[in-house]
Amino acid sequence: MEFMENLSLGFATALSTQNLIYAFVGCLLGTLVGILPGLGPLATISMLLPFSFGLEPTGALIMLAGIYYGAAYGGSTTAILVNMPGEASSVVTTIDGHQMALQGRAGPALFAAAAGSFFAGCLGVLVLALFSAPLTQLAFKFGPTEYCALMVLGLVGAVSLASGPLLKAIGMIIIGLLLGLVGIDISSGMARFTFGAPDLWEGIDFVLIAVGIFAFSEIARTLESSPHSPGTTSKIHSLLPSRDDVRRMTPSILRGSALGTVIGVLPGAGLSLSSFFAYSLERRFSRHPEQFGRGAIEGVAGPESANNAAAQTAFIPTLTLGIPGSATMALMLGAMIVHNIQPGPQVMTNNPELFWGLIVSMWIGNLMLIVLNLPLIGLWIKLLQIPYRLLFPAILVFCCIGVYSVSYSTFDLYVTAAFGIFGYILYKLNCEPAPLLLGFVLGPMIEENFRRALVLSDGDFSVFLTRPIAASLLLVAVMLIIFALLPSLREKRETAFTEE
Amino acid sequence: MIVRSRKDLGAGILYIVIGASFTWAAANYRMGTAASMGPGYFPFWLGVALTIIGVMVAAGAVARAGSPDCDNIRLDLRGLAFILVSVVAFGLLLKPGGLGIAVAATVLLSSLAHRDIRPAPTIVLTLTLSLLSVMVFVYGLGLQFQVLPAFLTE
C-alpha cells in the first residue's frame, strides 16, 4: 500500500543520526522556550531561522518543527508549577493546573499534561499522514485563480478566528502584503519601493521582519512590564496519578485530542483557541463542573491534549497547500522557500523524503518530549531561576549574529532595528503583528497568482466568481468575515488569545 | 469631538500614512491594464485599500460625544532605546572591532536597558558571551566573522 511505502521512507529519513539530533535539539529548545517566560516560540524560531539556513532542508524543518510543538509541551510545566504560562496556549492550564500544584498534586497534573500531549501528538501526526495525500491531490486541480482565492481565504481565516479588532488586523495584513512587494518585481524587472538602496533589491528578508518585530520588540516589552524571573515553585511529591485520576483524564484526553486535531487545521485558529475551547468543552461534559478552577484534572488533560494536537495538524495546510495558517507557519514556509523548496502540493511529489521524513520525525519528537518533560523536570525548575537581566542580552547577541549571518550585511542589522521600533509602535497601538507576517510571506505569491489569473481570463474579474472552486473559497471567506463581525461572537473572539 | 481610543486613532493614522506612501510611490510605476498588470497595479490598489481602512479605523476611534476610554499609551522607552543602541553598535563595531568586541559592546549596552543592573554579573556575562560567541559561531559553526579587531590584523 502506498501509505506504508511513504511511511517507511519517512522512517528511513527521520531515523538518520543527523535528523535524530536535529529533532532532539528542536525539542530541547522548544521545551526551554516553553519554560522560560519572556521568550515565545515565534521569537525563538525567528532567531534560529538564519542558523537553520546552513543546515540541509529536511534537518532544518525537523528542528524548527520540534521547537514549535515542543514549546506547546513545555509551557505546561511552568503553568502548573509557577502559575506562569510559558507561552500563550498554556494560559488555560494555569487555571486548574496550578490549583492542583497548590494542593500538592503537581505530579499528577504534570503527568496528565505530558500523557495527554503525547497521545494528542500521535493522533495529530496520524491525521497529518493520512490526510495529506488526498489533500494534495485536490490541490493539483488548482489554477492561479483558485490559489489566489485560497490565499485570500487563508488570510481572512487567520484574522477572523484569532486576532483582535478585525479592521485593524486586515490593515496589518495589507501592510505585510505591501512590505512583501519591496524589491525587484519578477515580471517587469522593475525595482519597487527600494529608494535607491541596492541592498533592498532582493526584497526585505523575512528574517529581518520576524526578528525585529517579534524578538526585539518582545524583549523591549518584557523589560518594560515584567523584567524579573518568576519566584519559587511548588514542591513535587510523586509523579504518578491515582487510579481515579487516570479514569477521569482519559476521556478528556480523547476529547481534547479530537478537538485540537480539527481546530489546528483551520487557518488562524492557533493553539490557544484549541486549549480554550477544550477547557469549555470539559466543563460542559464534566459531572463535577464546580471543581473546575479548583484543581480538576480534566481541566489540565483536555486543554493540553488539544493544544498539542493542534500543533501537529497546523502543519497540514502549510505542507500540503502552501498556505500558512499562522505566523509561525509563515516562518516555516519562508524557511522552505529559502531552501529552494517550492511550497505547495508539489512538495509531496518532488521532495517525498522531506515530507514524510518531517511527519515521522514529529512522532519521534513527541516521544522525545515525554522523556524531556517528565524525568527532567527538576532541571527545568532550576532554569526558571535564571534572572531575565542575564538572559535577554544573550538573546540579543544571538539575534544580532543570526541576522548578520543571513547576508553578511550590516545594513540588515539596521533594517531589523528599524522593524524593532515598528514592532514596538504596533504593540503600543494595539495592532496585531502576526497577520503582518502572514501577509508578508504571501504577498508576492498572491500578486503573481492574481496577475496570472487575470492574464488567463483576459482582464475579466468575474472569473473569481464563475469558477466553482474559487467562488466557494471566496464565499467561505466572506462568511468568516460575517462570523467575526457578529456581536455575540465578537466577545468570544476577544477573549480567545492569539498565538503568542 | 472626543477621542474614544487613542490607540485606535494612532493605528488609523499609521495606516493612512503607510497606505498613502505606498500608493504615491506605486503611482510612479507603470500601471498597465487588468489583463496585463504593470508593477504599479497591485501595490497601488493595496495602498488605496489600506488608506481607506485607516480612515475607517480612525473614524471609529473618534466620536461626537461620550467619555474617552482609558487607554493611555504608556511609553517607557529606556528598554527599547538601549536595545536599539546595542544592535546598532554591533553593526558598527563588527568590521573594525571583530566579533568579540562587537558582542561585548552589545551585552554591555543592552544590560543598561534593565533597571537592576549589577556590575559584577554583567561583566562576567560580557566576557562569557564574547568568548562563547567566537567559539560557537566561528569555530564551531564556521560562520564567517572577523574575530580580531581590524587594526590587529592589518
Side-chain angles (χ1 to χ4, degrees):
Chain A
M1 198 179 50
E2 208 192 307
F3 183 63
M4 296 312 281
E5 267 173 40
N6 290 328
L7 270 189
S8 47
L9 174 64
F11 269 103
T13 320
L15 287 176
S16 76
T17 330
Q18 211 181 29
N19 286 337
L20 279 176
I21 295 181
Y22 288 138
F24 183 72
V25 170
C27 292
L28 189 68
L29 285 172
T31 311
L32 264 171
V33 164
I35 287 184
L36 292 169
L39 191 64
L42 199 52
T44 315
I45 295 184
S46 312
M47 267 201 308
L48 286 167
L49 272 173
F51 300 108
S52 72
F53 294 161
L55 307 172
E56 48 99 30
T58 316
L61 285 178
I62 286 181
M63 189 178 82
L64 294 174
I67 300 175
Y68 180 61
Y69 56 81
Y73 255 89
S76 49
T77 310
T78 43
I80 293 173
L81 292 177
V82 198
N83 203 26
M84 271 192 70
E87 40 100 36
S89 62
S90 332
V91 174
V92 179
T93 315
T94 58
I95 305 178
D96 278 274
H98 191 61
Q99 289 304 312
M100 284 182 72
L102 290 176
Q103 292 162 17
R105 305 224 302 143
L110 290 165
F111 186 91
S117 297
F118 180 67
F119 179 81
C122 293
L123 181 65
V125 174
L126 191 65
V127 167
L128 180 59
L130 285 173
F131 284 94
S132 305
L135 256 170
T136 49
Q137 288 306 317
L138 175 65
F140 271 120
K141 304 210 176 101
F142 282 18
T145 328
E146 283 76 28
Y147 261 111
C148 202
L150 183 64
M151 288 179 194
V152 170
L153 172 61
L155 289 175
V156 167
V159 294
S160 65
L161 284 175
S163 310
L166 190 63
L167 210 53
K168 282 167 90 169
I170 296 184
M172 293 309 296
I173 291 183
I174 300 186
I175 296 182
L177 290 173
L178 285 168
L179 285 172
L181 298 178
V182 170
I184 295 187
D185 171 34
I186 307 181
S187 316
S188 60
M190 176 126 211
R192 293 190 288 190
F193 310 118
T194 54
F195 305 115
D199 288 290
L200 285 177
W201 283 352
E202 302 257 310
I204 303 177
D205 207 287
F206 75 103
V207 173
L208 309 186
I209 296 195
V211 170
I213 295 188
F214 294 111
F216 284 176
S217 67
E218 190 174 312
I219 296 179
R221 274 154 32 201
T222 315
L223 285 172
E224 247 186 289
S225 53
S226 52
H228 302 287
S229 55
T232 46
T233 69
S234 327
K235 280 237 159 274
I236 304 180
H237 297 290
S238 148
L239 271 181
L240 295 174
S242 68
R243 264 257 195 85
D244 190 48
D245 286 334
V246 175
R247 193 181 46 82
R248 284 172 65 176
M249 66 173 152
T250 312
S252 312
I253 292 180
L254 290 170
R255 280 193 291 263
S257 306
L259 188 67
T261 308
V262 171
I263 294 190
V265 185
L266 305 173
L271 312 187
S272 320
L273 202 72
S274 342
S275 47
F276 179 70
F277 274 164
Y279 191 77
S280 310
L281 192 72
E282 286 310 307
R283 229 183 15 203
R284 220 159 290 181
F285 266 89
S286 165
R287 263 173 253 161
H288 316 278
E290 70 291 344
Q291 279 185 18
F292 277 75
R294 303 219 196 113
I297 201 170
E298 297 94 334
V300 174
E304 280 299 314
S305 309
N307 79 8
N308 208 48
Q312 313 297 329
T313 51
F315 279 92
I316 293 185
T318 311
L319 284 179
T320 56
L321 302 170
I323 308 289
S326 64
T328 329
M329 287 299 136
L331 288 178
M332 298 279 173
L333 209 73
M336 281 201 257
I337 296 179
V338 166
H339 284 282
N340 261 324
I341 299 175
Q342 198 47 38
Q346 331 85 289
V347 176
M348 226 173 75
T349 37
N350 295 350
N351 308 79
E353 354 60 59
L354 176 98
F355 190 80
W356 294 104
L358 183 61
I359 294 184
V360 172
S361 162
M362 288 197 218
W363 182 76
I364 297 182
N366 273 286
L367 215 60
M368 290 183 184
L369 280 165
I370 269 243
V371 170
L372 282 173
N373 270 282
L374 284 179
L376 294 182
I377 289 212
L379 180 64
W380 302 133
I381 296 180
K382 293 270 159 42
L383 279 172
L384 278 177
Q385 320 287 357
I386 298 183
Y388 194 65
R389 68 185 137 78
L390 293 182
L391 195 61
F392 81 89
I395 299 176
L396 215 53
V397 165
F398 204 69
C399 288
C400 286
I401 295 183
V403 165
Y404 180 75
S405 69
V406 169
S407 318
Y408 291 107
S409 138
T410 44
F411 180 75
D412 283 351
L413 281 166
Y414 308 138
V415 171
T416 315
F419 276 109
I421 302 178
F422 189 55
Y424 185 80
I425 296 177
L426 289 178
Y427 171 71
K428 286 296 170 184
L429 292 177
N430 233 354
C431 291
E432 277 291 329
L436 186 149
L437 196 66
L438 270 167
F440 180 76
V441 173
L442 286 179
M445 289 194 260
I446 294 189
E447 184 188 30
E448 198 187 309
N449 281 299
F450 188 58
R451 224 181 222 152
R452 268 197 241 152
L454 284 177
V455 165
L456 286 175
S457 74
D458 206 27
D460 185 13
F461 280 94
S462 70
V463 69
F464 286 103
L465 297 172
T466 48
R467 293 180 63 124
I469 304 183
S472 31
L473 289 171
L474 286 176
L475 188 64
V476 175
V478 171
M479 281 177 9
L480 282 174
I481 295 188
I482 297 180
F483 170 86
L485 288 174
L486 288 177
S488 57
L489 295 156
R490 205 187 260 161
E491 292 148 28
K492 280 231 180 87
R493 275 177 65 246
E494 270 156 26
T495 43
F497 337 96
T498 48
E499 203 171 337
E500 45 279 295
Chain B
M1 296 272 271
I2 302 264
V3 174
R4 253 197 302 184
S5 163
R6 285 205 197 111
K7 293 186 182 179
D8 282 357
L9 184 63
I13 294 179
L14 181 71
Y15 290 179
I16 293 175
V17 167
I18 297 182
S21 313
F22 271 98
T23 302
W24 180 77
N28 293 329
Y29 306 135
R30 185 178 58 85
M31 282 291 152
T33 59
S36 137
M37 281 191 239
Y41 195 94
F42 200 57
F44 181 85
W45 291 111
L46 278 182
V48 168
L50 185 60
T51 314
I52 295 179
I53 290 184
V55 170
M56 285 167 71
V57 171
V62 171
R64 285 276 170 75
S67 57
D69 283 343
C70 281
D71 68 344
N72 289 313
I73 304 179
R74 278 178 49 245
L75 284 178
D76 181 5
L77 294 173
R78 176 186 173 141
L80 184 69
F82 277 109
I83 290 178
L84 295 174
V85 164
S86 63
V87 172
V88 169
F90 186 85
L92 292 173
L93 285 173
L94 195 58
K95 298 256 173 68
L99 183 61
I101 295 195
V103 170
T106 308
V107 176
L108 283 172
L109 286 169
S110 61
S111 299
L112 290 171
H114 192 102
R115 291 183 190 290
D116 289 344
I117 174 171
R118 289 173 217 176
T122 310
I123 298 197
V124 172
L125 184 70
T126 308
L127 292 171
T128 319
L129 283 178
S130 305
L131 233 75
L132 223 73
S133 317
V134 171
M135 289 203 319
V136 171
F137 294 109
V138 180
Y139 299 120
L141 291 179
L143 297 176
Q144 305 290 342
F145 276 100
Q146 185 137 7
V147 175
L148 293 174
F151 63 85
L152 281 181
T153 54
E154 235 110 78

